[in-house]
Each structure stands twice: as structure tokens, then as C-alpha cells.
Amino acid sequence: MKALVKQHAEPGLWLMDVPEPETGPGDVLIKVLRTGICGTDLHIRSWDGWAQGAVKTPLILGHEFVGEVAAIGADVQDIAVGDLVSGEGHLVCGKCRNCLAGRRHLCRSTIGLGVGRNGAFAEYVALPASNVWVHRTQVDLDVAAIFDPFGNAVHTALSFPLVGEDVLITGAGPIGIMAAAVAKHAGARSVVITDVSESRLEIARKAGATLALNVAEHDIAHAQKQLGLKEGFDIGLEMSGRPEAMRDMVANMTHGGRIAMLGLPAQEFAVDWAKIVTSMITIKGIYGREMFETWYAMTVLLEGGLDLSPVITGKYGYQDFDAAFDEAATARSGKIILDWTV
């Protein structure tokens, strides 16, 4: 089969012929239809410091996908050949305290699909049945391909009750934009999203943000004045990993405000902890999705009319992966899709 492989410990990717993945009695073999390009994939392609420490070559990349079940193991139940499926990209041990308590997203031994084991940028991918999500209702294939990052957005956005609240999102990458759409759809009064990329801010406006603010031109206090806020934002969703974004968010929260932090900083940075203490701000770290409560929420949101189409800004055949990755690496694009059926 064809697959995108990190063949060598150096920048680049290689489109290669590799054997189809082997499966056991509890596994599902999936024919891949579409995949989404993630920031993680960009790190592995460029072979930066994080990738060098996290990845062993050779490796098939990719963890955002939708496909059709091609075969099931003898022990697999409730999944049938021909089912349309996506996959939870975090594979957990099933034995630790959190896994046994049903909190699998908190497993300390998580292995990432396309990072710690061969992934979905291929004609076929194999997953344990416990990581397979069957789409029981109709869903657009391109949207189904990005259920993994959509789940990040939903997990972050719904960490705290949103109805009637004023929400600040720092970072208008694809996940931040999806979080803005989710927050507005879930009943937030106003949703402000910040970035320095006017192209991405325009995507956020199309996705439903109340105000998309270019922080190279206006500060967040300006957004408060524009919206008539007097006490600050109730909910913060930090999606950028940037120290200045986190500091600005803390400075503009109301007393008792709550912050969900998904953005991953590149290094340690100072935070005004005195402000956090005296303002009684709650900060919650987010990593991945709750298995599978977040997946249920994603499906229900789409059934309820949530529109993610503005977030998908490019689509390529898998043979044109270099051009697709180049576009995904810009600060202008939303989600980029690879089509494995062409």
C-alpha cells in the first residue's frame, strides 16, 4: 500500500510502498478515505527538536482520518465491515488507575497514533476496536476526517458551562476557530477570538465568532469596550501556547473566571500568579479528548446544525502531499485535507 513515511531522521516525508498493517483478534483494519494534516505532522515533517525527541524512524504519520472498515478481528463486536469510522488517536494502557476508572484520557501511558506507532497517512490503518468511532449518522467525509482536532476544540470549549457567558479565545488556528464555533453554538453570549493573522481571523468570522480581534492592532481591553463588558471575560480558552496571549487573557478575566488551556508552550514562561490568586481564576489543562464523551458531543453538535465547513480551506490528493503540507504550514490556512481515494 501507499503511505507517507518519515523514513529518515531529517526534514521531509517520503511517499512509499509499505506492507499493509497486521491485525489481531481485537483490531479493526480500515481503508482510509480522507486525512487531515495536524500541527504535529508539520513538526515531524520539519524534524524540529520536539520531533527528534518524540519520533523513531521509520514511521507512518497521521492521526486525523475517516475511513471504511475493511476487516475486523475475531473478537470485535458492534463494528462491521463497511462501517464509516474515525479513530481516537490516543491509545491507552487500559490497566492504570485512570483507565480502570473510565478516565482513559488521563492515562499516563498514552501512545499517539502517527507519533508512537504507525498512523493513518496510508491506504490502510489498523486500530484496536476500542479506539474506533463508528459514524452512525450521516456526516461529511471532510468533517469526519477532522474529528480528532474537532474533539480538542469541543473538549476545551465545553470544559466549563458556556450558556450566557462571555468567552475569550486566544489563538485562531483551526482548533481555536472550531472552539469559537462550538462556544457560540453552545450558547455563549459573545465569543472573542484573537490572532495576528487576518486570514485566519476572517475564517473565524465565517465560523461564527462575535468579534475576531487582530492583537497586532488592538488589545483585548479594546474588545471589552467594544462589547460593553464591565468586569472582564467569564471563560478563557487559550489555544496559542504564547506567553503574551496567556498574560493578556489573565489580565482580562473577571473575578472567578475560568480558563481552559490547550495551547502547548514551547518553553516555560512567567505568569502573574498573584492576579490568578486574588482574582480566584481557575486554570484547567486540556490534552486530547475525553473518551468517548467528547465524541458523543461532537456528533450531537453536528446533528444540531454546527457548521465546520469554513474551517476546511484546502483539499489535495495524497500524491500532492508536499503542496498540502506547505499550505498547512502557513499562518493563513484552516484545516487541509488529503484525499486517499484519488
Side-chain angles (χ1 to χ4, degrees), residues 15-85:
L15 183 61
M16 303 176 61
D17 287 304
V18 300
E20 289 185 13
E22 297 180 358
T23 56
D27 295 331
V28 176
L29 182 67
I30 302 162
K31 179 176 175 56
V32 176
L33 301 176
R34 306 272 198 281
T35 56
I37 298 175
C38 175
T40 300
D41 305 316
L42 297 175
H43 286 294
I44 297 173
R45 184 204 191 203
S46 66
W47 202 237
D48 60 14
W50 172 85
Q52 292 174 36
V55 171
K56 293 182 180 180
T57 58
L59 175 81
I60 299 172
L61 276 67
H63 55 274
E64 302 177 7
F65 76 93
V66 64
E68 185 178 280
V69 174
I72 59 173
D75 295 341
V76 175
Q77 299 179 356
D78 300 322
I79 300 173
V81 172
D83 281 346
L84 186 70
V85 298

Side-chain angles (χ1 to χ4, degrees), residues 164-178:
E165 302 285 48
D166 297 308
V167 178
L168 172 63
I169 302 173
T170 46
I175 295 177
I177 294 170
M178 286 190 280

Side-chain angles (χ1 to χ4, degrees), residues 82-286:
D83 281 346
L84 186 70
V85 298
S86 295
E88 167 56 57
H90 287 174
L91 290 87
V92 300
C93 72
K95 301 175 182 179
C96 68
R97 175 183 176 181
N98 282 319
C99 283
L100 292 174
R103 300 186 296 263
R104 290 190 287 167
H105 65 291
L106 298 177
C107 176
R108 295 176 64 91
S109 302
T110 298
I111 297 173
L113 183 69
V115 178
R117 60 175 279 169
N118 282 331
F121 284 173
E123 292 182 285
Y124 291 90
V125 63
L127 271 181
S130 57
N131 278 69
V132 174
W133 177 262
V134 179
H135 293 285
R136 304 291 184 188
T137 57
Q138 187 173 358
V139 60
D140 180 85
L141 287 180
D142 292 343
V143 172
I146 60 170
F147 254 52
D148 180 292
F150 179 29
N152 293 145
V154 170
H155 187 187
T156 310
L158 300 186
S159 289
F160 304 109
L162 287 173
V163 176
E165 302 285 48
D166 297 308
V167 178
L168 172 63
I169 302 173
T170 46
I175 295 177
I177 294 170
M178 286 190 280
V182 170
K184 195 62 180 174
H185 187 83
R189 180 171 72 163
S190 59
V191 178
V192 175
I193 188 167
T194 70
D195 208 285
V196 296
S197 168
E198 192 55 46
S199 297
R200 283 185 164 171
L201 290 170
E202 183 56 33
I203 299 171
R205 294 182 188 105
K206 293 177 182 177
T210 308
L211 177 62
L213 184 74
N214 190 327
V215 286
E217 300 173 357
H218 301 286
D219 60 20
I220 295 172
H222 174 84
Q224 286 202 58
K225 292 178 183 177
Q226 190 169 340
L227 294 173
L229 304 186
K230 300 184 183 303
E231 298 184 7
F233 290 91
D234 306 294
I235 307 292
L237 310 178
E238 208 306 288
M239 302 294 201
S240 71
R242 301 286 300 179
E244 61 271 32
M246 185 63 177
R247 287 193 285 263
D248 287 347
M249 175 172 282
V250 169
N252 285 274
M253 297 299 292
T254 189
H255 279 213
R258 293 147 292 170
I259 296 174
M261 187 174 181
L262 180 77
L264 196 61
Q267 58 189 18
E268 294 181 4
F269 60 80
V271 177
D272 187 353
W273 290 105
K275 172 72 172 176
I276 291 169
V277 171
T278 58
S279 297
M280 295 162 284
I281 293 171
T282 299
I283 299 178
K284 179 182 179 181
I286 304 293

